[in-house]
Amino acid sequence: MTNALTRLALVALTIGFAGCSQSTNDSTEATGGPVVMDELPPTLDDAGGHPVHGPHGGDLVELGKEDFHAELVHGGDGISMYVLDGSATKMVPIPSESLVISLKHNGQVATFDLAANPEPGSTSGQSARFTSTDTKLDEWLDAGAEGAVVIQIDGKSFTGKVVHSHDHAGHQH
């Protein structure tokens, strides 16, 4: 969150100073050039300042008071959950073999395991990505089931509310 806001503030200040650097003397040229960005900054929500969707296009789950996030990606390849940092932009590998999501739907409660599925090059025994191809989990998320995930990070337990958004613009489904 801080990096994105800092970056946006620096761009705004650079543009502001470039506009103010011109003097009333017409013979003086502005010394600044155009600001060039490699990519657009992420779309930020109004409340927390973090991206609206995670880096994989999924729904964000707040863990703690924005200490960490989880990203729930619900698509044709199954369900993936990524553990992310407080800015919701960088993956945080944890030493866990699985994550457990508990959901409630139509008066029923069920738990679903997402197995560690480390990205190539990850440290042995750690993963930031957890996946499942459980069709019941897929169906329940599609139907709007809600629940929670508990994730252990650096010896602390973080609980996040799991809700699948049906606003499908900008992410997989």
Side-chain angles (χ1 to χ4, degrees), residues 97-172:
E97 294 181 10
S98 66
L99 296 180
V100 177
I101 296 178
S102 298
L103 294 177
K104 183 175 183 179
H105 176 63
N106 286 340
Q108 297 180 337
V109 176
T111 59
F112 303 92
D113 290 329
L114 282 75
N117 187 359
E119 300 264 338
S122 295
T123 303
S124 180
Q126 293 193 341
S127 182
R129 177 177 62 184
F130 297 83
T131 60
S132 173
T133 56
D134 187 324
T135 55
K136 184 176 179 181
L137 173 58
D138 184 56
E139 290 168 4
W140 278 32
L141 287 170
D142 236 4
E146 295 185 4
V149 61
V150 178
I151 301 176
Q152 297 287 326
I153 305 172
D154 295 332
K156 294 181 183 178
S157 181
F158 295 91
T159 302
K161 183 177 180 183
V162 175
V163 179
H164 175 61
S165 167
H166 284 89
D167 170 22
H168 296 134
H171 75 275
Q172 299 177 15

Side-chain angles (χ1 to χ4, degrees), residues 3-82:
N3 281 344
L5 291 175
T6 302
R7 207 175 315 137
L8 287 172
L10 287 174
V11 169
L13 286 173
T14 301
I15 292 170
F17 285 135
C20 294
S21 68
Q22 295 182 7
S23 75
T24 55
N25 182 351
D26 291 337
S27 64
T28 305
E29 293 183 25
T31 58
V35 175
V36 178
M37 297 174 59
D38 292 334
E39 59 187 44
L40 292 175
T43 304
L44 305 177
D45 74 1
D46 292 333
H50 58 68
V52 175
H53 296 291
H56 304 93
D59 298 322
L60 290 176
V61 176
E62 184 178 329
L63 301 172
K65 293 184 176 159
E66 305 264 350
D67 296 319
F68 295 94
H69 291 83
E71 176 188 9
L72 179 65
V73 178
H74 175 219
D77 297 335
I79 286 68
S80 296
M81 183 167 276
Y82 297 87

